[in-house]
Amino acid sequence: AGPGRWPVLTLHALGHGVIDAANRRVNELRRPAAEISARLLAMKQAEIGRALDRLERTALEAGRVDVATIAIAVALGDLDYRFPAEAWRPGRPALAEWYRRFSNRPSMLATMPAA
């Protein structure tokens, strides 16, 4: 509650937007090769990139844990898990460093998906 509510909800929406776009890409890639839409894949990749660029410009506090930071961390972990060959970190050093620290929290380590 209070004035901090909207910034948290905005960051939460960005994290969920990345997850949603990544899921749409995964679902599209599961279609028969002849039916895959390169245009849709590119649109979703651009959507993810814009969200990550916005998060790079956001000062995420290292020790902060709330619905927004959890959503962001899950989104970044999901990108690493689903698209390991796609590097989201270059050009986003602040976000990469924040994720490195956050992903080493015991709760994150305990819930990492099996490779």
Side-chain angles (χ1 to χ4, degrees):
R5 177 181 170 90
W6 291 111
V8 169
L9 290 178
T10 299
L11 292 175
H12 180 259
L14 282 168
H16 268 280
V18 170
I19 293 168
D20 290 344
N23 283 340
R24 186 63 179 100
R25 287 184 68 211
V26 167
N27 290 337
E28 187 66 18
L29 290 168
R30 288 182 177 150
R31 298 178 70 194
E35 296 177 18
I36 293 175
S37 170
R39 181 175 177 267
L40 183 127
L41 291 174
M43 285 175 29
K44 294 302 168 184
Q45 183 61 29
E47 190 176 309
I48 291 168
R50 286 190 304 271
L52 296 181
D53 290 344
R54 170 67 166 79
L55 291 169
E56 172 65 20
R57 295 188 305 270
T58 302
L60 296 172
E61 300 167 31
R64 181 176 135 195
V65 178
D66 57 26
V67 68
T69 57
I70 293 168
I72 293 164
V74 167
L76 298 175
D78 190 49
L79 292 177
D80 283 347
Y81 180 73
R82 293 180 185 264
F83 304 103
E86 296 179 12
W88 61 264
R89 290 169 178 82
R92 300 180 185 106
L95 185 58
E97 177 59 19
W98 175 84
Y99 179 66
R100 184 190 67 73
R101 289 181 181 182
F102 198 94
S103 66
N104 281 308
R105 297 178 58 79
S107 57
M108 290 291 289
L109 293 170
T111 57
M112 289 284 180

